[in-house]
Amino acid sequence: MFVIESDAMVQKPHYKFKGKLPEEWSGNGGTAFLPAFEYIKENKLPCSLLIYLTDGYGENPSKPDYVNYPVIWVTTQIPPADWGRVITIEATPEKG
């Protein structure tokens, strides 16, 4: 299992998930959902499931024809697309 950090573009090369998500993320720019899917395709990464963590704000992309794996959108706000499965969770307040 691996992690791709992406906002308007993929921010760093994918890396192995080690049981804990990073405390800080790269990016925080505008959001485009398709770059992560394109990265998987271009790098020929094996993908049997994609879990996309997002607040949901960004373009509502059409499902690319090359996405032949299940997609789960885990969102704290709104559904980001009208395809895949959507799970809405309550946002955790920022520490500070």
Side-chain angles (χ1 to χ4, degrees):
M1 185 169 9
F2 55 89
V3 175
I4 299 171
E5 293 185 32
S6 181
D7 53 17
M9 59 187 249
V10 173
Q11 293 294 330
K12 60 171 65 172
H14 66 283
Y15 55 91
K16 187 171 176 69
F17 177 69
K18 296 181 180 175
K20 184 177 177 185
L21 294 172
E23 299 236 356
E24 295 199 19
W25 297 93
S26 301
N28 290 325
T31 302
F33 298 111
L34 293 181
F37 295 96
E38 292 165 355
Y39 180 88
I40 292 167
K41 179 183 175 197
E42 291 167 7
N43 290 279
K44 297 181 173 77
L45 299 177
C47 188
S48 57
L49 170 69
L50 182 118
I51 301 171
Y52 207 118
L53 308 176
T54 179
D55 62 8
Y57 290 101
E59 74 212 30
N60 183 333
S62 296
K63 182 178 181 183
D65 59 357
Y66 56 82
V67 174
N68 58 359
Y69 43 84
V71 175
I72 299 174
W73 303 97
V74 179
T75 179
T76 58
Q77 299 290 319
I78 62 172
D82 57 4
W83 52 276
R85 180 168 179 198
V86 176
I87 298 173
T88 303
I89 60 172
E90 186 175 325
T92 303
E94 290 187 29
K95 297 177 186 176

